[in-house]
Amino acid sequence: MSKQENTQGRCPASLLPAPAVSRRSLLLAAAAASAGAALPAPARARGNAEQITVAQSSDVLTLDPSKDTSPISLNAFKNIYDQLTNIAADGSVTPQLATAWEPNADNTVWTFTIRADARFHDGRPVTAEDVAWSFNKIIGDSRSPVRTFVGAIQKAEAAGPNQVRFTLKSPFAPFHRQVSLISVIPKAAYEAMGEARFSQAPVGSGPYKVVRWIKDDRLELEANAAYWGGAPRIKRIIFRPVPAEPARAAGLLSGELDVVALLPPPMIRRLQNVRGVRVQTVASNRVLYLGFDVNRAPFNNVKLRQAIDCAIDRNAITTRLLQGLGKPEGQVVAPVTFGYDPEIKPTAFDPAKARQLLREGGYAGERVLFQFPSNRYAMGSEIAQAVAGFLREVGINVELEGMEYSAFFPLWTGRRLNAMHMFAFGPSIMDAELAMISLYEAGSRAYWQLPEIDRLVKQQRAEANPERRKAIISQIFRRSQQEAVYAVLHHEIQAYGIAEGLRWSPRPDERLVFHEADFPPGR
């Protein structure tokens, strides 16, 4: 377990809006974050077609894609493994291992045709049996967090040498998107190596092969020259865990790093005029929110949750602290995601109403624990501190507890964040279905589970008409906002630092995929 950090009492005063001057304090927070010594000039030649180095805020948890759903690990999986389908940067569904797919009339049976030219890194062909086994392995593993994504499947089976048939428990209209979450594993290699060895040195069929993984130091990948989609132009990718934002920016400036995701606003300004670095922004599908364990006191009190929702000045956070790298939201999906309803507005900032709700709910100053990952989001700690300051201003007794993302994520997947927490959701399938599965459906990671909401979740899943499906999803989001199940903050506008000349663009879903990346000739 990574070291946890209790930030109560140790945060700079300028980062915690005081009861009488919260607006001014937030401005000071932004100014304080902008201050600091100038970063060093570039010190070495940057990456080229032979190698690039990519920074993430933490290390992967495992290299076994049947055991992890964390976004950090998913970035590795998307380079090492193939999935049946792919979600393109524009949100469309494109073929990957599957060249075609066909549902039956009511979307309860789906048949996928597997390409004949795909091979695993050990030279063996990818077969329909490997595909079916990969899904059934997860279905049968009660400990796997990936199991959430295959809960609709009754049976996966090879229906011939190049076809896989999925029989579902109920109609599932966006199932062709859902299968993009499951990486295909070679049955023979996994069984021969065993779970422990495979999780360290796996065999996939993707554009890159694992050279070595040194925990908490680096993951080295090399190009798969025999990849069915064509050999990658960049021969080697190194993923480095770099938790500290200043260290990531310094690495970019020195030339030690070639891609750095999630730059905070102060570093963007410093990097924009640096020779050898380009800064590129993208409207993300990721939405930050506050979640509550609504089954335990004090958060089983809807008035307290509504008071928290009203007490937060989202505009101040996004415009002053994030300096435009965010937009307030009232639902847990962003505009780039299917199911987003532009008519659902962010909860209005109303501290007077928040105090009234606290009185009506009988809140008596009980301690409120507020947990958050300290190294996952751009200025994540500062956002948490600002939120805590707004809550203190209306009289809520908040205690902050920051921890490393590697410690936080298992608590989230295991529903063990039993107070208030800050997290973010960005559905990699670019569809609100993933939010339904993870944050609303009965048996999911949600703390708020109601039979009528569960019925709506299943109804939208079965609905093939896109507009009718959107209307059902909107009902769920509106009810969620009314009961303050989540106090949604904002969707991110993400900034990336990229080595000059590297032809690669960030995606809304935050995936770091490098199969088609390259440098101009001569680099």
Side-chain angles (χ1 to χ4, degrees), residues 52-262:
I52 62 171
T53 302
V54 181
Q56 298 204 88
S57 59
S58 65
D59 200 7
V60 299
L61 301 178
T62 177
L63 294 179
D64 183 346
S66 72
K67 299 290 185 181
D68 188 22
T69 63
S70 69
I72 295 289
S73 297
L74 190 58
N75 284 333
F77 299 159
K78 285 290 186 178
N79 289 282
I80 300 167
Y81 299 95
D82 281 319
Q83 298 77 35
L84 283 175
T85 61
N86 174 61
I87 307 301
D90 64 2
S92 61
V93 184
T94 60
Q96 196 165 27
L97 280 180
T99 57
W101 48 90
E102 185 72 32
N104 67 350
D106 67 353
N107 292 310
T108 57
V109 179
W110 288 71
T111 303
F112 291 78
T113 301
I114 310 303
R115 63 174 58 255
D117 55 350
R119 291 186 172 272
F120 289 112
H121 299 155
D122 61 6
R124 297 178 184 177
V126 178
T127 68
E129 182 183 1
D130 290 308
V131 176
W133 180 84
S134 298
F135 280 82
N136 287 324
K137 176 185 183 300
I138 297 168
I139 292 169
D141 185 355
S142 61
R143 299 174 300 141
S144 172
V146 191
R147 198 180 186 202
T148 299
F149 301 146
V150 297
I153 301 173
Q154 183 71 46
K155 180 172 60 174
E157 58 186 335
N162 69 333
Q163 287 194 325
V164 178
R165 181 185 300 122
F166 295 91
T167 302
L168 309 183
K169 298 173 184 177
S170 57
F172 200 141
F175 185 69
H176 59 313
R177 289 181 174 273
Q178 193 72 6
V179 296
S180 70
L181 295 166
I182 306 303
S183 296
V184 173
I185 299 171
K187 179 177 184 289
Y190 196 98
E191 291 180 339
M193 296 171 70
E195 179 180 313
R197 185 178 163 207
F198 190 92
S199 70
Q200 301 288 319
V203 176
S205 64
Y208 285 91
K209 302 186 287 186
V210 174
V211 176
R212 61 175 177 165
W213 176 31
I214 303 174
K215 181 67 175 169
D216 295 324
D217 181 69
R218 66 181 58 208
L219 170 63
E220 297 183 18
L221 308 179
E222 67 178 3
N224 176 12
Y227 186 55
W228 60 265
R233 295 179 182 89
I234 294 180
K235 305 305 181 187
R236 185 174 292 250
I237 307 289
I238 299 177
F239 285 96
R240 295 290 304 269
V242 186
E245 289 175 343
R248 292 198 292 272
L252 189 63
L253 282 164
S254 70
E256 296 298 319
L257 300 173
D258 299 295
V259 176
V260 173
L262 311 181

Side-chain angles (χ1 to χ4, degrees), residues 13 33 46 59 76 154 169 197 206 232 234 237 258 275 285 291 307 313 324 332-333 365 398 405 413 435 487:
R46 298 193 173 278
D59 200 7
Q154 183 71 46
K169 298 173 184 177
R197 185 178 163 207
I234 294 180
I237 307 289
D258 299 295
R275 182 171 51 84
N285 70 341
D313 189 342
V332 294
V333 297
V398 181
Y405 179 75
T413 58

Side-chain angles (χ1 to χ4, degrees), residues 22-39:
S22 64
R23 299 291 187 105
R24 179 174 178 273
S25 296
L26 196 56
L27 284 169
L28 290 174
S34 301
L39 294 174

Side-chain angles (χ1 to χ4, degrees), residues 331 340-346 474 478 481:
Q331 57 202 295
Y340 177 84
D341 185 349
E343 297 303 314
I344 299 177
K345 305 302 182 183
S474 180
R478 288 176 185 276
Q481 187 182 44

